[in-house]
Each structure stands twice: as structure tokens, then as C-alpha cells.
Amino acid sequence: MQVLIVGGLGGQIGAASKIAMARGASVQLAESVTTALNILRAGKRIDLVMADIALDVGALITALSTERISVPVVACGVGNDINGAVNAIKAGAQEYIPLPPEAALIAAIFEAVTEESHALIHRDPRMTETLRLAEQVARSNASILITGESGTGKEILSRFIHRKSNRADKPFVAVNCAAIPDNLLESELFGHEKGAFTGAQARRIGKFEEADGGTLLLDEISEMDVRLQAKLLRVIQEREIDRLGGSKPVKVDVRILATSNRDLESYVQQGNFREDLYFRLNVVNLDIPSLRERPGDIPVLAEFFVRKYSEANDMPIRPISPLAIDRLISHYWRGNVRELENTMHRAVLIAGPDEIGPEAIMLTGGAPAGAQSQPAPAQQPAAPTTAPANGSDPRDIARSNAAAAAYNPTYVNQAYRNSGAASSGYGQPAPHPYDAARPAEQPAAHTPAAPADDAAHTSHHAPDGSGVSSVETADHGVISDNGSITAALVGRTVADVERELIIDTLKHCFGNRTHAANILGISIRTLRNKLRQYTDEGVDIPLPGNG
């Protein structure tokens, strides 16, 4: 941990430094706010600033905010200087340390600052597969493009990749391209020399130099101006930057991670994103499923947030009732994990003393048009005696994911046969981990098993007596007597045929999205968009591991 001490700390600087170094920190000293700012502008890694309240702490914090230098600041002063402490906290200091310093207090603050706030919690097989691929490519120097809806955890996955990489002991620097105006983003990335433009009062090291040797995250890169995209492309190719107002290039060694919640392929086609930059960034694409696509993660994430906010609010940790879990799994989660976190924070505050029940799960923001979320379990009618083995209810998907995790071809093939040749079922799902606490349900009915001879053909004759006939193959493809598939498709819409082709290809690949996309000749992103559309229309989609 790198600590910058600003000022003399009322003569206690030696004691504070010794305590910090005893806690494993490396200490650097700055006599004034100006000196501290110059150190931070130079791009030197600083994890914590300890500032003497005898100095203008407010000016320091304002300057850090103006120059978008993100580092926590704690104020230090003599123990009875109440006004100074209050003013420092009002100015934006995160904590106040009375002097002379206490080792236990400084240790607690160091622990809070260095606490890992980017935990990656998961249980769903789809997320497990995403993390497996992420860990596999983490040790390379390849650029990685991370895509997914807002709130799915793209930055958290980026930090996971950095921790698993060969650069884990080097800086991880994140830049939000959507939050910085275009006229400032270039200076933010590449830095500037003194006098390069109006207001450039000193040399400023950019994020590329700050991340030298480590990882640079370009968050929401699709929001970057096209002109700046061209300069970024050159930096990635040449591994060197030009500071604004600089006279010579500066070599940098940076691993690039980029995120986007847009379909970048479509953005490229629309002329809003450079195709050559897209290919440079998209060496590996990690697409994070939305929370509704990985319902197995919902219970474990909910429990994690309950623990987190119970401790933060000094409240007892209460269990989540099975009915509350059902209510969570049934929700559409347009805001993904971010929305779930807010929901559980609210539930912790308003739940009863014994458990977090469904009445504490106050949900907002339903499904968009055409994508209806499930009603709360407590309001659902009794389950029919003949329910499909795998319907659109997210609870069914959560149960099926347990089977997908233990996928083997024998299981899938048998489940497919049990579902019937023309059935949309994908086999009997494994029990949900919370089923033990639920009332018993009627078993899902199965259609009779398909004939043992998988190569059997079924003849179909046109009802109008035209004499045109067709046969249905084991793969359910329909071919007319004259050998043309298209002749048998006349009268159907292109959308219907496309949907059937995609679903059948997915079944053929046992639910593997990547293989199916390769066979269909489309991108994995396009395939996921199609599957979301079909899910919204009530179509059963094969889960990974199911055919």
C-alpha cells in the first residue's frame, strides 16, 4: 500500500509514518498541497492520502476532483480540534484521525481502504463458464472486449482478469469514457505538458502512463469520439503515446481491457465505431449474461448483499425465506446485479426481526414490453398437473441449470428422447436447492418416448391433394419430393423459419451458444439478442448443456 502524508501532522509525522510502515505501507512525504498534487499528477501510485488539517484540505480535495485523480483522503489533526475535523469531513475527507495517532485506528482505516470491494460472487453454470474463459486468457497480453448489459458486472470481471494476470502486482487503472467530456478525454488518457492548452498549469501524466506495466480499463468505450478512436488505435499498435503539447512519444506497456453495453458490431456498421479498432480490441470477447439469464446466481448474490448491508448498518444477519427467493427469481431484473443489490439493501432495512420475507422484497421496474416477468409466487395459481418440463418461468431455468452443471451427453440425449421428437421440452430438470423448503409440486408430465430408431422418417402429404409430399428426417428438417427444402417452406414467414433454424441448431449443439453461432454464421452477440427476443415471445430456449 502506498501512502502519501501531506503536512507535518502537528509534529506527529514520525509516529504516523512508523505505524503505517509497520502495517506494510510504503510512505511518501509532501510538505504542502502543491507538492502533493505534483506527486499525484506525475502518475505515481498512491492508495491513500493522509492530510494535515492545518493545511487547506478542502483545496486539495477540490483539486483532486477537478483533475479527476481518484484517491481517498483522510484528515489528521490534534484530538481536540473539533471544528477542523468537521470542516475536513465536509470538504470531502473520508475519515478523521486524531493525533497523536493510535495504531489500532490507523490499522482499521488501512483495512477499510484496502478492503476488496470487487468480490465476484456466482453459482450459475453460465457465469462459471464465463469466468473459466476469463481466467484462461487472463495471463496473456491480448486485448479483451467485455460486453453485457448495464449492471452485469463488467468492471468487476475486468478486475478479476487483472488479479489473475501476470500484471497483478502492477497498477489497474479504470477510465469511464462515458463520464468524461470528449474535449477532456484525450488529455485524461494521454496526459499533457504545461501550457499545452488554457488551464494546463503543470505537466499531467495520463492514464496510459499511470497504468504502465499494468492494466488499463476503457469502460464504455463505445461512447468515445471517432476522432479519438483513431489516436487510440495508433497507441495500441505502436505501444507509445503522445502527450498533448509534447515533443516526443512516450513508450508504454499496457494491457487493454474495454467494456461496452452496446452491440459494437452494429455500431461499426452504423459508422459510429471504427472497425479496425474493434478488431484490435476484440481479440477475445467475454459476453456476460444478464442476471435473468443466470438465475442460479440470484440466491447467492442476494445472501451476499444481505450480509454486506446488515454489517454496514449494524443489524443482525437474517435468513432469506424461500418465498422471498422465489420472488427474486421471478423478477425480470432490468438493472441486473446493481438492481438486485439495491433491492436487498432496502430489504435489510425494512424486514422483520426473524427473516427477510417476500413482503420486504420491494421490486421496481418491471419487464419491458413483450417481456413479461413472472408474478410473485405467493400470488400464483396452483400449478397445473401437466406442466412443461422447462417453461419460461425463471425458477424452472434455475432448476435446469443444476442439471446443466452436471451435463453429460448421455443425460442430454436421454432427456431429449424423453421429451418427444417434436416437443420443446429439454428433459426433467434437477431439483432447485431451495425446493426442500417449498410445498411439494406435481411432477411434470412427459410425452411418450421417441421410437428407438432415431433414423425413422415420417411422411407428410399436402391436405389440398396437390400430391406434394415431404419427409421429416431425424434432425426434423423437412424436404419436399423434388428435393427442395424451400418448396416446403412456402407460406411461412422468414422470421418463423429463422427462429426454427436457430432453435434447432442450438438443440443440435446441446445449447452451446458459441458453436451454434459458428454454424449459423452469425456473431455470438447477435445470437444472444435473438434468443432474448424469443424468450420475450414465450419460446423455450435450450439451456447450455441441453439439446
Side-chain angles (χ1 to χ4, degrees):
M1 184 176 184
Q2 306 292 324
V3 176
L4 176 62
I5 298 180
V6 186
L9 302 190
Q12 300 293 329
I13 189 169
S17 298
K18 289 181 180 179
I19 294 174
M21 288 187 288
R23 298 292 171 176
S26 176
V27 177
Q28 191 168 352
L29 305 178
E31 296 180 355
S32 65
V33 169
T34 301
T35 304
L37 287 173
N38 288 335
I39 292 173
L40 293 166
R41 287 173 183 144
K44 294 184 179 180
R45 176 187 169 190
I46 299 295
D47 299 307
L48 176 68
V49 173
M50 297 174 62
D52 191 340
I53 59 172
L55 303 176
D56 193 344
V57 178
L60 172 63
I61 294 174
T62 300
L64 294 176
S65 176
T66 301
E67 300 189 34
R68 295 173 300 284
I69 300 174
S70 180
V71 58
V73 176
V74 298
C76 305
V78 292
N80 59 358
D81 191 352
I82 299 176
N83 290 332
V86 171
N87 291 335
I89 296 297
K90 286 183 177 180
Q94 294 191 3
E95 296 287 349
Y96 175 77
I97 299 178
L99 299 176
E102 294 183 6
L105 180 57
I106 290 184
I109 291 176
F110 281 9
E111 183 179 353
V113 171
T114 59
E115 178 184 6
E116 181 55 72
S117 60
H118 306 285
L120 218 167
I121 309 298
H122 70 97
R123 183 174 291 165
D124 193 280
R126 294 187 63 180
M127 196 61 186
T128 300
E129 177 60 22
T130 300
L131 294 180
R132 184 200 63 77
L133 179 58
E135 187 167 1
Q136 181 177 337
V137 301
R139 292 188 175 276
S140 71
N141 287 318
S143 299
I144 298 177
L145 178 62
I146 303 172
T147 54
E149 295 180 7
S150 179
T152 51
K154 296 186 289 294
E155 182 174 347
I156 290 178
L157 182 60
S158 301
R159 293 179 182 275
F160 172 83
I161 294 171
H162 175 69
R163 292 197 303 270
K164 296 294 183 179
S165 72
N166 296 325
R167 301 168 180 260
D169 58 339
K170 302 296 183 180
F172 176 91
V173 178
V175 181
N176 188 340
C177 300
I180 303 174
D182 293 336
N183 60 332
L184 297 178
L185 184 56
E186 183 174 359
S187 171
E188 186 78 8
L189 290 174
F190 309 124
H192 61 256
E193 297 289 348
K194 181 178 180 180
F197 52 84
T198 303
Q201 300 178 357
R203 170 189 282 184
R204 169 73 189 277
I205 299 300
K207 297 301 184 183
F208 268 92
E209 288 183 82
E210 189 177 334
D212 190 30
T215 303
L216 177 64
L217 169 64
L218 300 175
D219 197 16
E220 301 303 344
I221 194 171
S222 54
E223 307 304 315
M224 182 181 291
D225 182 74
V226 175
R227 181 190 63 83
L228 189 53
Q229 292 175 22
K231 189 167 184 178
L232 175 61
L233 176 65
R234 180 185 176 279
V235 171
I236 296 175
Q237 291 174 336
E238 304 299 330
R239 297 292 177 180
E240 62 182 25
I241 63 163
D242 292 299
R243 295 195 199 108
L244 294 181
S247 58
K248 60 181 180 179
V250 179
K251 289 289 185 181
V252 290
D253 174 23
V254 175
R255 201 264 185 89
I256 302 291
L257 304 180
T259 74
S260 177
N261 60 8
R262 297 181 181 270
D263 183 349
L264 275 186
E265 286 191 18
S266 298
Y267 231 44
V268 168
Q269 295 171 3
Q270 296 167 11
N272 295 322
F273 199 84
R274 292 181 62 102
E275 185 176 43
D276 44 8
L277 177 59
Y278 171 71
F279 289 133
R280 280 287 181 180
L281 295 172
N282 195 30
V283 177
V284 178
N285 178 218
L286 296 175
D287 189 63
I288 305 180
S290 64
L291 187 59
R292 58 187 170 275
E293 293 178 301
R294 44 185 173 110
D297 282 349
I298 294 176
V300 66
L301 281 168
E303 291 170 353
F304 170 78
F305 291 134
V306 166
R307 289 194 302 272
K308 175 181 177 180
Y309 288 109
S310 294
E311 294 172 356
N313 292 282
D314 196 22
M315 301 177 71
I317 299 176
R318 290 151 291 178
I320 309 174
S321 74
L323 287 178
I325 290 290
D326 270 339
R327 185 169 172 80
L328 293 171
I329 293 177
S330 299
H331 189 54
Y332 189 80
W333 298 116
R334 297 179 67 171
N336 291 290
V337 179
R338 189 177 294 122
E339 182 186 356
L340 175 62
E341 180 175 5
N342 291 341
T343 299
M344 299 318 299
H345 190 176
R346 184 164 52 241
V348 165
L349 298 177
I350 67 176
D354 298 325
E355 67 175 6
I356 297 176
E359 71 284 350
I361 308 298
M362 301 177 63
L363 300 171
T364 58
Q372 296 299 321
S373 60
Q374 297 295 320
Q379 301 172 351
Q380 289 179 345
T385 55
T386 56
N390 184 21
S392 58
D393 189 336
R395 290 169 296 169
D396 293 330
I397 300 174
R399 297 185 184 103
S400 297
N401 274 341
Y407 155 67
N408 64 74
T410 303
Y411 167 83
V412 173
N413 291 336
Q414 184 61 45
Y416 181 73
R417 292 190 183 95
N418 289 344
S419 69
S423 170
S424 61
Y426 309 125
Q428 178 64 34
H432 187 279
Y434 287 88
D435 279 345
R438 296 196 185 111
E441 298 178 357
Q442 294 292 334
H446 291 282
T447 55
D453 184 4
D454 288 338
H457 300 277
T458 305
S459 297
H460 302 271
H461 295 277
D464 59 3
S466 61
V468 177
S469 62
S470 62
V471 294
E472 184 176 357
T473 67
D475 290 331
H476 316 299
V478 181
I479 306 176
S480 62
D481 278 346
N482 62 7
S484 170
I485 291 181
T486 57
L489 299 178
V490 173
R492 303 183 61 192
T493 66
V494 173
D496 286 343
V497 175
E498 180 187 57
R499 180 174 60 245
E500 186 172 309
L501 175 62
I502 289 176
I503 297 300
D504 285 349
T505 303
L506 202 56
K507 291 179 182 178
H508 173 76
C509 297
F510 299 116
N512 188 305
R513 270 62 172 163
T514 303
H515 292 173
N518 290 335
I519 292 174
L520 292 165
I522 60 178
S523 70
I524 184 65
R525 183 73 173 177
T526 299
L527 176 61
R528 290 191 187 279
N529 289 338
K530 291 288 185 182
L531 296 182
R532 289 192 186 101
Q533 175 188 336
Y534 300 155
T535 300
D536 294 344
E537 294 170 354
V539 178
D540 291 330
I541 306 299
L543 293 169
N546 290 334

